[in-house]
Amino acid sequence: MNLDVNEAPSQTGLAWLPLLIGLCLMFGITAYPKVLIDGSGRADHLAVTLAGWAMAAGIVRGVGFVPRHRVLRWVLSATACVSCLLLAGLRLYLVRG
Protein backbone atom coordinates (compact mmCIF):
# COMPACT_ATOMS: atom_id res chain seq x y z
CA MET A 1 0.00 0.00 0.00
CA ASN A 2 1.59 3.22 -1.17
CA LEU A 3 0.80 6.15 1.11
CA ASP A 4 2.60 8.87 -0.81
CA VAL A 5 1.76 12.09 1.03
CA ASN A 6 3.27 14.18 -1.76
CA GLU A 7 0.76 12.93 -4.32
CA ALA A 8 -1.31 15.84 -5.60
CA PRO A 9 -5.10 15.77 -5.10
CA SER A 10 -7.00 15.05 -8.29
CA GLN A 11 -9.89 17.51 -7.89
CA THR A 12 -10.48 20.66 -5.93
CA GLY A 13 -13.31 23.16 -5.89
CA LEU A 14 -16.81 23.08 -4.47
CA ALA A 15 -18.62 19.76 -4.51
CA TRP A 16 -22.28 20.59 -4.09
CA LEU A 17 -23.77 17.18 -3.23
CA PRO A 18 -21.51 16.41 -0.27
CA LEU A 19 -21.72 20.02 0.90
CA LEU A 20 -25.52 19.91 0.89
CA ILE A 21 -25.53 16.56 2.67
CA GLY A 22 -23.11 17.86 5.31
CA LEU A 23 -25.07 21.07 5.89
CA CYS A 24 -28.42 19.26 6.01
CA LEU A 25 -27.03 16.81 8.55
CA MET A 26 -25.53 19.64 10.59
CA PHE A 27 -28.76 21.62 10.77
CA GLY A 28 -31.02 18.55 10.92
CA ILE A 29 -29.23 16.87 13.82
CA THR A 30 -29.04 20.18 15.67
CA ALA A 31 -32.74 20.90 15.22
CA TYR A 32 -34.03 17.35 15.69
CA PRO A 33 -31.50 15.12 17.52
CA LYS A 34 -34.17 12.51 18.27
CA VAL A 35 -33.73 11.18 14.75
CA LEU A 36 -30.63 9.32 15.98
CA ILE A 37 -32.23 7.29 18.77
CA ASP A 38 -32.92 3.58 18.70
CA GLY A 39 -36.19 1.78 19.43
CA SER A 40 -35.72 1.98 23.21
CA GLY A 41 -35.19 5.76 23.23
CA ARG A 42 -31.42 5.71 23.71
CA ALA A 43 -28.82 7.24 21.44
CA ASP A 44 -27.65 4.80 18.79
CA HIS A 45 -23.92 5.40 19.00
CA LEU A 46 -23.07 3.65 15.73
CA ALA A 47 -25.67 5.70 13.83
CA VAL A 48 -24.46 8.90 15.50
CA THR A 49 -20.85 8.09 14.57
CA LEU A 50 -21.76 7.33 10.96
CA ALA A 51 -23.89 10.48 10.68
CA GLY A 52 -21.09 12.57 12.19
CA TRP A 53 -18.60 11.07 9.75
CA ALA A 54 -20.95 11.77 6.84
CA MET A 55 -21.41 15.35 8.03
CA ALA A 56 -17.68 15.98 8.47
CA ALA A 57 -16.74 14.37 5.16
CA GLY A 58 -19.49 16.26 3.36
CA ILE A 59 -18.48 19.64 4.69
CA VAL A 60 -14.74 19.08 4.24
CA ARG A 61 -15.04 17.76 0.68
CA GLY A 62 -17.88 20.13 -0.13
CA VAL A 63 -15.83 23.26 0.48
CA GLY A 64 -13.10 21.92 -1.78
CA PHE A 65 -10.48 20.59 0.62
CA VAL A 66 -8.87 17.37 -0.62
CA PRO A 67 -6.18 15.96 1.71
CA ARG A 68 -2.89 14.81 0.21
CA HIS A 69 -2.64 11.67 2.32
CA ARG A 70 -4.44 8.80 0.60
CA VAL A 71 -6.19 7.47 3.73
CA LEU A 72 -7.49 10.89 4.75
CA ARG A 73 -8.51 11.57 1.17
CA TRP A 74 -10.71 8.46 1.31
CA VAL A 75 -12.04 9.15 4.83
CA LEU A 76 -13.07 12.70 3.86
CA SER A 77 -14.35 11.93 0.35
CA ALA A 78 -17.77 12.36 -1.22
CA THR A 79 -18.02 8.57 -1.45
CA ALA A 80 -17.43 8.22 2.29
CA CYS A 81 -20.02 10.94 2.93
CA VAL A 82 -22.76 9.21 0.95
CA SER A 83 -21.79 5.72 2.17
CA CYS A 84 -21.87 6.74 5.83
CA LEU A 85 -25.19 8.50 5.36
CA LEU A 86 -26.70 5.37 3.82
CA LEU A 87 -25.21 3.12 6.51
CA ALA A 88 -26.54 5.38 9.29
CA GLY A 89 -30.00 5.30 7.71
CA LEU A 90 -29.85 1.51 7.31
CA ARG A 91 -28.71 1.12 10.91
CA LEU A 92 -31.60 3.23 12.21
CA TYR A 93 -34.08 1.38 10.00
CA LEU A 94 -32.90 -2.02 11.27
CA VAL A 95 -32.74 -0.98 14.93
CA ARG A 96 -36.21 0.54 14.92
CA GLY A 97 -37.68 -2.10 12.59
Side-chain angles (χ1 to χ4, degrees):
M1 176 152 83
N2 184 9
L3 296 176
D4 185 11
V5 295
N6 295 322
E7 187 175 314
S10 59
Q11 293 179 335
T12 58
L14 286 177
W16 289 103
L17 180 62
L19 183 60
L20 290 174
I21 290 172
L23 291 174
C24 287
L25 281 170
M26 181 178 64
F27 292 123
I29 293 171
T30 301
Y32 192 65
K34 289 184 179 185
V35 74
L36 294 172
I37 61 172
D38 61 12
S40 63
R42 296 184 192 151
D44 186 341
H45 295 287
L46 180 58
V48 171
T49 301
L50 289 168
W53 182 0
M55 177 181 63
I59 291 172
V60 168
R61 178 58 190 104
V63 298
F65 179 73
V66 180
R68 289 186 181 185
H69 197 279
R70 184 175 295 181
V71 174
L72 287 178
R73 195 175 328 136
W74 180 81
V75 167
L76 298 173
S77 68
T79 304
C81 171
V82 173
S83 299
C84 289
L85 178 65
L86 293 175
L87 287 172
L90 180 64
R91 168 70 181 187
L92 290 170
Y93 175 76
L94 294 175
V95 169
R96 292 181 185 172

